[in-house]
Amino acid sequence: MSYIFYSFTFLFLVLATALYVARARWLPLLPLPNYIYHRLTPSFSNDIESGFTSTDFDLTSNVAAGDSRAGLDQQGKREVQRIMRSRKVDFDEARRIFTEERFANNGIGPDGRPRDPKFVSFS
């Protein structure tokens, strides 16, 4: 009877080890909320510390000027951070992807022109 216990224990250890080794494959598939990993606080200095700045999108001038605003949009930061993690891109590329996705959701092409067939432009 003890061989059944040892067999199940061995099988459990092998399965647990295999899941641990392959966690990079199955962990992103779990529906975990994003707030478990990082809390996004509303200030420009915390946005800089979280990596939401670059040479093209510089927030240090806001901090140096003593800007009292709350910082970047919380929902936008979460979405950009999700894109940065899932696609392994930097902040500028994630911001571009986020903007193009918002454009597509609102019926605007990647070039900035509306996709509405009734749209008339006089230029």
Side-chain angles (χ1 to χ4, degrees):
M1 189 68 177
S2 65
Y3 70 90
I4 294 174
F5 173 73
Y6 289 122
S7 297
F8 281 126
T9 304
F10 179 73
L11 181 66
F12 174 75
L13 290 175
V14 168
L15 184 63
T17 303
L19 286 174
Y20 180 76
V21 169
R23 71 187 180 276
R25 277 191 172 277
W26 60 267
L27 200 56
L29 301 176
L30 291 178
L32 295 176
N34 288 337
Y35 60 84
I36 288 177
Y37 298 107
H38 295 288
R39 181 174 179 169
L40 300 173
T41 55
S43 73
F44 285 120
S45 59
N46 290 336
D47 291 342
I48 292 171
E49 291 173 8
S50 298
F52 295 114
T53 188
S54 67
T55 55
D56 296 326
F57 192 79
D58 190 23
L59 293 177
T60 55
S61 60
N62 292 19
V63 173
D67 198 341
S68 62
R69 292 180 292 172
L72 302 175
D73 176 39
Q74 293 293 319
Q75 183 180 4
K77 282 195 292 189
R78 268 190 236 105
E79 190 64 27
V80 168
Q81 191 174 39
R82 183 192 60 78
I83 293 170
M84 288 169 65
R85 274 195 225 135
S86 65
R87 298 187 187 185
K88 307 283 192 260
V89 294
D90 64 342
F91 175 67
D92 287 329
E93 183 67 16
R95 199 166 48 96
R96 184 190 64 79
I97 292 169
F98 173 70
T99 303
E100 286 180 356
E101 286 176 358
R102 285 187 63 190
F103 278 2
N105 290 341
N106 292 317
I108 302 171
D111 57 353
R113 289 188 286 175
R115 291 185 183 167
D116 186 10
K118 297 177 187 176
F119 174 72
V120 178
S121 174
F122 299 103
S123 58

